[in-house]
Amino acid sequence: MKINIHKNVFNTNEEYASEVKKILKKYNIKTFNLLSSPGAGKTTLLEETLKLLKDEYKCIVIEGDLATDIDRQRISQVGVESYQINTVKGCHLNAKMIYELLNDIVLNDIDFIFIENVGNLVCPAEYNLGEDHKIVILSTPEGDEKPLKYPVVFRNSDVCIINKTDLVKFVNFDIEKIKINLKKINPDLTTFFVSCYTKEGLNQWINWLKNNKEG
Amino acid sequence: MKINIHKNVFNTNEEYASEVKKILKKYNIKTFNLLSSPGAGKTTLLEETLKLLKDEYKCIVIEGDLATDIDRQRISQVGVESYQINTVKGCHLNAKMIYELLNDIVLNDIDFIFIENVGNLVCPAEYNLGEDHKIVILSTPEGDEKPLKYPVVFRNSDVCIINKTDLVKFVNFDIEKIKINLKKINPDLTTFFVSCYTKEGLNQWINWLKNNKEG
């Protein structure tokens, strides 16, 4: 049995985030912090992403969840190493959690770390984890007005994935309206329209990840 | 122009909640705190609920939102009085907000107050607002494992509405599994299966509300 005892080495979340950033830079690892409402499809997107990346790149996944490791088990079945952080009642991951985890694992040869944050479109947006990019995922059944209603997460992210585009014809979601609303909140956002069911748009997203790694 | 200046009359959220409860009891008003992820369909459910109640009962709506009054405008179009609370970056409503609002409005003759909380399946569950019942809404595209992953909100609620049942055939959601998962987390939960699109299940929910008022 291994017991890890961690002291508070730093004081603020930003200090921990900046330390995480240094570690990731040292090992040349690209890290993405995935943010969305519960059920927007973060885990399914990760499964599809990992299937397309894992033969070429070493990936690991950090799963944030209040209470279970259901998502981590799904990631394991894709054949990718994954680590669980349970926040119990906590509504977001913080940089200290990531810092402590990185100190416990071997970082050599890792190309990508994907962090699946707690499903919450509000709180996680305010906590840097030392990641390279925040990725916000919005699924079409949630509605095209969400960038206006939850502006912080869309403003703080570099990429937006509009997920479940296969459901557009069954729900109240207008592709032109979402483009306008995203532009209003964050004109610099890179947006992908993806369906993990039909695989539409996955290649563009994967290419963006690869360019990000190689660039 | 009217400026309301409110002092901190009480110290804790629970003190404010208990005061709200007293006021609501005095006026014989039934109050429901609606909790869900963003995009689960709280506002649409409210629109349909109000259409079926408003000729018989006086209802008002309190809308919680970070940044907009989009939902309040929708409620107004149904012809029901509604009040907006913008939390800016706040991830939940608290009882002080409700207390102050109730002190500013005329409460005579009101039968029902519906509070639409900020879209967030984590934080709002921990804050009593003095309501009679917390109602958690889960939409089928979010997945049938959500009660296990977000247990607090399902444990703290009295009613669960499984919404968007018309989408079941297009998404990965098993009605038998959700029943098992809900029972595991909260065996006392009253559950309704609703589609605001086909109107399935709305009558049962409306009858529950009416019985709650008359009972």
Side-chain angles (χ1 to χ4, degrees), chain B residues 6-208:
Chain B
H6 295 283
K7 290 184 296 181
N8 267 326
V9 191
F10 305 103
N11 293 313
T12 66
N13 188 71
E14 277 309 309
E15 281 172 26
Y16 275 104
S18 134
E19 209 54 33
V20 168
K21 220 176 191 42
K22 272 186 219 162
I23 297 171
L24 295 169
K25 199 173 173 190
K26 180 180 157 196
Y27 287 92
N28 192 28
I29 300 171
K30 286 283 173 188
T31 301
F32 305 93
N33 179 4
L34 274 64
L35 309 166
S36 84
S37 305
K42 290 187 295 304
T43 315
T44 306
L45 178 73
L46 269 181
E47 287 171 326
E48 296 304 318
T49 301
L50 295 168
K51 283 180 202 164
L52 293 167
L53 281 180
K54 73 184 176 108
D55 292 339
E56 219 175 321
Y57 298 92
K58 179 160 182 198
C59 305
I60 70 162
V61 172
I62 300 173
E63 282 290 341
D65 198 74
L66 269 72
T68 75
D69 73 339
I70 295 175
D71 295 343
R72 198 197 57 73
Q73 286 180 38
R74 287 174 56 188
I75 297 300
S76 288
Q77 284 177 356
V78 183
V80 167
E81 228 172 277
S82 56
Y83 299 88
Q84 184 67 52
I85 298 174
N86 281 133
T87 60
V88 189
K89 290 187 168 190
C91 53
H92 61 271
L93 295 175
N94 63 46
K96 183 170 187 270
M97 296 168 180
I98 306 299
Y99 174 80
E100 291 177 352
L101 183 65
L102 294 185
N103 274 286
D104 280 347
I105 62 182
V106 179
L107 295 172
N108 293 327
D109 307 325
I110 293 176
D111 295 302
F112 291 110
I113 297 180
F114 295 95
I115 303 171
E116 180 173 348
N117 219 309
V118 176
N120 180 339
L121 211 49
V122 186
C123 318
E126 309 253 26
Y127 290 80
N128 289 324
L129 305 180
E131 73 275 343
D132 290 284
H133 299 287
K134 286 188 181 66
I135 316 284
V136 58
I137 294 123
L138 175 70
S139 63
T140 59
E142 293 173 71
D144 51 38
E145 85 290 16
K146 289 301 173 290
L148 307 178
K149 295 189 66 196
Y150 301 86
V152 183
V153 67
F154 290 91
R155 202 171 288 137
N156 291 359
S157 294
D158 298 313
V159 173
C160 174
I161 292 182
I162 303 296
N163 198 21
K164 307 192 189 179
T165 54
D166 53 290
L167 294 178
V168 159
K169 50 184 176 295
F170 307 116
V171 298
N172 194 5
F173 190 94
D174 184 323
I175 296 284
E176 290 315 308
K177 256 192 211 156
I178 191 70
K179 287 181 183 167
I180 293 166
N181 288 342
L182 288 172
K183 202 165 185 176
K184 217 178 266 180
I185 299 297
N186 183 353
D188 299 325
L189 204 58
T190 299
T191 304
F192 299 104
F193 292 83
V194 169
S195 163
C196 293
Y197 181 68
T198 67
K199 319 292 182 205
E200 179 204 348
L202 274 173
N203 279 338
Q204 287 94 314
W205 156 241
I206 297 293
N207 286 341
W208 182 87

